[in-house]
Amino acid sequence: MLEVIRELLVGNLESGDRLEALIFSAIYLKWINTGQIPCFEDGSHHRPNRHAEISRLIFRELERIYCMKDTSPQEVLAIRKIHPCLPSFKAEFTASVPLTRIRDIAHRGDIPHDLKQEIKHTIQNKLHQNAGPENLVATEAMLARITRNPGQYSEAFVEKFKIFHHQLKDFSMLGNLTEQLESIKESFDDRSLSALTLFLECKE
């Protein structure tokens, strides 16, 4: 999925082709993120940090285009449409072994074997093959299932799965605004922290 965008945008893109490439990228990513185009695996196997690294490359190229003197308002608009569709490339996702919690969950000793296999094949393996929203959809469906009847599965397993679900939302940049602001507040100066505190108080 991201390789297509990287090949389209990163490199020696002529200014005459730039707007078209940005518009096509924005539309393609929007369709992927809303499930209008399903992600299919090509048989390759990568750790999720590969998706985060490609996302970072695309982001850097978008920022380079954004800062160019001849960038048009239409190109700026397209860039702003692309940004929220890119997976997160926070340090925890560009690490050599990111999102490993699901692997540990799939090998727990307190869940049935068939559930382990389902987690491995519908979430863990697919996460290594693409960065599409299908991973989050499958995870949310599994979370709904394992929490439907309290006590059916161990509390420790359910809690670990909830943490993984939150982590995957973060990776997919689909956390709510409060979660995203909380995740970057360490980089805020005093003025920005005050604004964030006021925002959170107003929400309550």
Side-chain angles (χ1 to χ4, degrees), residues 91-120:
E92 64 187 284
F93 302 127
T94 54
S96 59
V97 189
L99 294 170
T100 55
R101 191 181 306 276
I102 193 62
R103 181 191 63 196
D104 298 336
I105 290 171
H107 288 83
R108 292 181 65 91
D110 58 353
I111 58 175
H113 176 74
D114 59 339
L115 185 58
K116 290 182 184 181
Q117 292 300 304
E118 187 175 348
I119 292 171
K120 180 177 180 181

Side-chain angles (χ1 to χ4, degrees), residues 155-199:
E155 288 184 18
F157 160 65
V158 172
E159 186 58 32
K160 291 293 184 184
F161 200 91
K162 285 179 178 178
I163 294 171
F164 171 73
H165 172 248
H166 181 81
Q167 188 182 32
L168 187 58
K169 276 176 62 180
D170 194 13
F171 174 68
S172 303
M173 298 292 279
L174 292 174
N176 63 40
L177 178 59
T178 300
E179 291 171 345
Q180 293 186 30
L181 289 172
E182 288 280 4
S183 73
I184 62 172
K185 72 178 182 181
E186 290 182 4
S187 65
F188 287 2
D189 57 22
D190 291 340
R191 183 179 176 187
S192 299
L193 278 172
S194 297
L196 174 60
T197 301
L198 179 60
F199 169 75

Side-chain angles (χ1 to χ4, degrees), residues 127-143:
L127 189 59
H128 285 183
Q129 293 167 338
N130 70 63
E134 291 88 347
N135 300 309
L136 187 58
V137 171
T139 301
E140 288 177 341
M142 178 69 72
L143 180 60

Side-chain angles (χ1 to χ4, degrees), residues 22-38:
L22 288 167
I23 290 172
F24 287 163
S25 298
I27 293 171
Y28 177 71
L29 284 171
K30 186 66 174 179
W31 285 350
I32 288 287
N33 277 21
T34 56
Q36 300 302 309
I37 300 177

